[in-house]
Amino acid sequence: MRRLRLLYASSEVAPLAKTGGLADVSAALAEALHQRGHDVRLIVPLYRRIREAGHELVPVKGLQDLVVELGAHSHRVSVQDVKLPGREQSAWCLDCPELYDRDGIYTADDDEHRRFALLTRAALTTCQASNWAPDIVHANDWHVALLPLYLKLLSSWERLFAQTRTVLTIHNLGYQGAFSSDVVHDLGLDDARHLLHQEDMAAGWISFLKTGLLYADVITTVSKTYAREIQTREHGMGLHEMLKGRAESLVGIVNGIDSAEWSPERDTLIPRRFSVDTLKDKRVNKTALLKSLGLPAAGRQPGGRGVPVFGIVSRLVYQKGFELLFEPLREMLRHHDVRLVVLGSGQPDLERSFALLQRDFPGRVCFYKGYSNALAHLIEAGADFFLMPSRYEPCGLNQMYSLAYGTVPIVRRTGGLADTVQLYDPGTGEGTGIVFDDFDVDAIRRALAFALELYHEGPAWRRVQRNGMSQDFSWERQAGRYEELYHQLLER
Ligand code: ADP
Ligand code: GLC
């Protein structure tokens, strides 16, 4: 197959700048496409945290001090090449201190629209400055969703982009990048007002994501089920009609997992590596997990496995559905000797509820408020169950990490969770986890009861763990799906 030139734009890349799964996907997919022989330019902002983490910044020749005009603002930008640990693919970090030298990746500052519009527009400027004609520009989420429109405007006179096609991936419809239409000038789109969503403009606002949906040649999202769901009123977040209108160009490709980082056999962040053949070694990680969080491991010992440990690693936000858990978790903690470890931060109400749970069940519950990649790995390796009761979940990565680590996921049948976890059937011995349908407290109660039952059933328990560990979620395979899609698009 022909070697493609791919411009891949994202607001996050692991491990340089990450708040969630988008970062993991950007890094791993770019690497997998590079490994398949493509010429990939992965472009992200040079946030303060990247500079402060001490990564070596190598100025890219010919891409220094470029001037990018956006409305009334003129920005001087440079591209610094930053190696991604353990990978051949590097990230091109867009250096523009006045916009990116700030505390957060995302901010509530007045110029948030300009921070990401600049990334988008400058990504195309770097192609022009190096006379590099991309076959595909691939934008991710609202932050860079103006790419197709900027490209359309540019290609009316810039021949470099004559053959370029655009892909927009929706990782999460819950974030659309909606701003007052006053920002149109700042985006450099004064002359393109007629190309913006007219009803929105009339109502006084502009949505980056919607604009992307209007002009991307192909729209993808990160699971087949989510691709279907977002065409319904229930999950479409106001965009279902529009997405239905583009159904022919809407494709679901489930994410992969980065086996260099998330593999129990190779994980350098856990005390004991293990595989499906040495599954009993997982116990060492469980002991280490409980110890590191000050939770006693003692208790009833079914089959010598110790008390069941439930884990959560997540952004604590509405999407994830955690409010359903508290009542059933309290009941379970009152009646059974179990442990719960929670790593995450986000909405104050959810943080408070987990903190109260820890207060009320000392020695049983540990809530680690914050972000820690090392602890995330230890939880995946050491827990027995992983909880994801998501209200909606475009793909979800942690349930796949859990499967790989023999940690049985308990998930709601929605989006990517539905596509990656199969309900364990004690009759046939098939299935990889516990899957429930209804978004309600009773469904959680039943799921937890089933979990405990399964845990105490020696052979069934091993079986479900092994089933999960033998799933293949490699990016090598999933990157092939993107490659096919790019080729189809170029042949159109
Ligand atoms: P989302 O992108 O919606 O947050 P995903 O399941 O796709 O959900 O990806 C979440 C990613 O972020 C995973 O790699 C997970 O381990 C990581 N993560 C989330 N919260 C934390 C945290 N508090 N500490 C460390 N890693 C976290
Ligand atoms: C989003 C979604 C999550 C998905 C991730 C990577 O943040 O919430 O479900 O796995 O993007 O695609």
Side-chain angles (χ1 to χ4, degrees), residues 2 4 10 60 73 82 138 162 196 286-287 295 303 328 341 363 451 477:
R2 182 158 81 84
L4 300 178
S10 174
V60 177
H73 299 269
V82 177
H138 189 152
L196 300 173
K286 176 163 163 173
T287 308
L295 297 176
V341 296
R477 199 178 58 174

Side-chain angles (χ1 to χ4, degrees), residues 18 20-21 24 313-315 320 343-344 370-372 396-398 401:
K18 165 165 168 174
D24 299 35
V313 179
S314 188
R315 297 182 293 121
K320 305 293 177 179
L343 165 63
Y371 186 91
S372 161
L397 297 173
N398 279 107
Y401 301 156

Side-chain angles (χ1 to χ4, degrees), residues 442-464:
D442 270 337
I444 304 268
R445 251 187 216 115
R446 287 193 298 271
L448 293 178
F450 184 34
L452 292 178
E453 207 179 295
L454 199 56
Y455 186 76
H456 294 292
E457 271 279 333
W461 173 246
R462 282 285 179 242
R463 181 90 188 237
V464 64

Side-chain angles (χ1 to χ4, degrees), residues 20-22 25 141 171-172 222 255 315 319-320 393-397:
L22 172 61
V25 172
D141 273 352
H171 294 264
N172 196 332
V222 288
N255 289 329
R315 297 182 293 121
Q319 170 193 349
K320 305 293 177 179
E393 196 62 74
C395 179
L397 297 173

